Amino acid sequence: KQALLLSAINYRMGGVVISGGKGTAKSVMARALHQLLPPIEVIKGSPFNIDPEGEFGLDDFTRTDLDSGGTPLAERETEIIECPFVQVPLNVMEDRLIGSADLEE
């Protein structure tokens, strides 16, 4: 419960992993907190929900575009979206969650 509240207050935490026994209201708490979070403003069409002010970091594609003379972030169209909520299946393997590289090729 405390970790969820702290992640709602401090956006730089990056998220919270919740574990516990069956029936301990893990999903209920996470979904309830998600309903309380305000919508966020992002660059329109950004697959990574980039902040229009760029204060929380940029993905490589946006950084390359800016470095090659692309439209500055402040001049790009924005949209308001619901705060993202990611629910990961219980049996997910690490390589499926974050990806892996085939080093033999």
Side-chain angles (χ1 to χ4, degrees), residues 94-101:
E94 183 178 349
D95 62 330
R96 299 286 182 175
L97 181 62
I98 60 174
S100 62

Side-chain angles (χ1 to χ4, degrees), residues 3-4 10 33 38 40 50 56 65 69-70 72 92:
L4 286 171
N10 185 356
L33 181 62
I40 60 173
I50 299 296
F56 305 116
D65 183 42
V92 70

Side-chain angles (χ1 to χ4, degrees), residues 52-93:
E53 296 177 13
E55 116 181 50
F56 305 116
L58 300 173
D59 62 277
D60 292 339
F61 304 110
T62 305
R63 184 169 306 285
T64 301
D65 183 42
L66 288 172
D67 291 344
S68 64
T71 309
L73 288 180
E75 296 175 16
R76 296 185 185 209
E77 189 176 353
T78 63
E79 63 183 334
I80 305 293
I81 64 168
E82 185 177 305
C83 188
F85 180 77
V86 178
Q87 188 168 347
V88 180
L90 180 63
N91 60 348
V92 70
M93 301 298 285

Side-chain angles (χ1 to χ4, degrees), residues 9-47:
I9 295 168
N10 185 356
Y11 53 83
R12 293 181 185 213
M13 280 183 61
V16 174
V17 174
I18 304 171
S19 66
K22 185 176 181 180
T24 55
K26 300 175 297 291
S27 297
V28 172
M29 285 193 311
R31 288 188 189 116
L33 181 62
H34 178 247
Q35 293 298 318
L36 297 174
L37 296 175
I40 60 173
E41 184 178 17
V42 298
I43 299 292
K44 188 170 186 169
S46 168

